[in-house]
Amino acid sequence: MVVDQIGLQIVQGALAPGAPLPNADDWSAKLGVSRTVLREAIKVLAGKGLIETRPKTGTRVRPRSDWNFLDPYVLTWCYAGGERNDVRALFELRRTIEPAAAGLAAERATAEQIQDLEAVLLEMEKYADDGERFAEPDLVFHQTILRMTGNELIGSLAAVIETALLMSFRLSNDNPHGQRPSLPLHRKVADRIAARDSDGARKALETLLDQAEDDVRTALNARRGRKK
């Protein structure tokens, strides 16, 4: 896909901020696509804040500060290399949002929502030894907590950070310990919410994220070791 090819080049530094994009004729020929396809790809990338087109100066890569890092495509391109700094940024985002949401969920969740969270935990237990299938109920678990806050603005973040959540799950897939060790941590979060223990829910979610980040770093180290 042309958008992915160009997006990766920009995000990974092959096309630096401020740099002009190649001549359209030459570039479309190099990519093996028509100018129409290239033009549409440029529009998509402009919508993600990666490039801009201006009279006289042409089409250029925009500064990183203008990029929409929460866009699913941009986020995927950023984490394609699994860089340590990117992992830190990912978990800083999650720590800013999720523990506070867990605290509010403990105060406001309905009995039905708590039952829903229990049902998701059962799905996680079912697929604890299958990293790929575990990711879906894990995502639902975290998104459910955001919606349990009763705050529509926070609830909307469930969709906004979906890619960020999935990316952290996928980065940890190579963890040699698998996903099963995380189940007691998820269980504690759910139990603290059900007990209406706001402070306990926040701390349990923080502990879960600390372990998740360790798992991601362990998986990345293992991946790098195999490449040597």
Side-chain angles (χ1 to χ4, degrees):
M1 185 174 173
V2 179
V3 170
D4 286 311
Q5 289 179 268
I6 302 173
L8 274 171
Q9 290 183 53
I10 293 172
V11 170
Q12 297 186 357
L15 293 169
L21 298 187
N23 173 274
D25 288 329
D26 295 338
W27 211 15
S28 59
K30 182 178 180 179
L31 294 171
V33 298
S34 68
R35 289 194 59 176
T36 299
V37 170
L38 179 61
R39 185 164 54 250
E40 289 303 312
I42 295 298
K43 288 180 181 178
V44 171
L45 293 167
K48 300 177 187 302
L50 296 183
I51 60 176
E52 63 181 357
T53 301
R54 293 184 177 180
K56 297 183 181 179
T57 60
T59 303
R60 294 178 179 273
V61 178
R62 298 180 69 179
R64 285 181 66 90
S65 59
D66 293 337
W67 299 356
N68 179 9
F69 285 98
L70 285 180
D71 179 275
Y73 283 91
V74 176
L75 196 61
T76 300
W77 298 329
C78 285
Y79 288 92
E83 294 300 324
R84 292 177 184 270
N85 287 342
D86 288 341
V87 169
R88 181 186 64 191
L90 178 62
F91 279 93
E92 285 177 349
L93 170 67
R94 296 187 63 185
R95 285 191 184 92
T96 299
I97 298 169
E98 294 185 67
L104 288 174
E107 297 172 7
R108 303 173 179 175
T110 66
E112 183 179 359
Q113 288 174 323
I114 291 173
Q115 289 178 353
D116 289 342
L117 198 63
E118 288 290 331
V120 175
L121 273 172
L122 291 177
E123 284 294 298
M124 294 171 70
E125 290 171 357
K126 181 179 179 181
Y127 297 119
D129 298 314
D130 185 335
E132 288 295 328
R133 299 183 76 176
F134 182 85
E136 183 176 348
D138 197 0
L139 171 64
V140 174
F141 179 89
H142 290 272
Q143 290 183 317
T144 298
I145 291 173
L146 293 176
R147 295 189 175 104
M148 290 167 79
T149 63
N151 182 312
E152 291 180 336
L153 295 177
I154 296 175
S156 294
L157 292 175
V160 172
I161 68 170
E162 177 175 344
T163 302
L165 289 168
L166 284 173
M167 194 57 60
S168 63
F169 301 156
R170 288 170 183 165
L171 286 172
S172 67
N173 274 352
D174 289 341
N175 182 5
H177 304 298
Q179 304 298 333
R180 189 167 291 279
S182 75
L183 288 177
L185 299 175
H186 286 86
R187 164 55 62 189
K188 187 170 184 179
V189 173
D191 286 348
R192 290 302 86 207
I193 291 175
R196 305 300 182 182
D197 179 0
S198 181
D199 188 53
R202 280 195 297 270
K203 290 178 179 177
L205 207 303
E206 288 171 355
T207 300
L208 174 58
L209 291 178
D210 288 343
Q211 186 59 58
E213 183 172 6
D214 287 344
D215 288 347
V216 168
R217 294 188 184 280
T218 297
L220 288 176
N221 287 334
R223 192 178 303 172
R224 291 188 183 100
R226 290 196 297 270
K227 290 180 179 179
K228 291 182 180 180

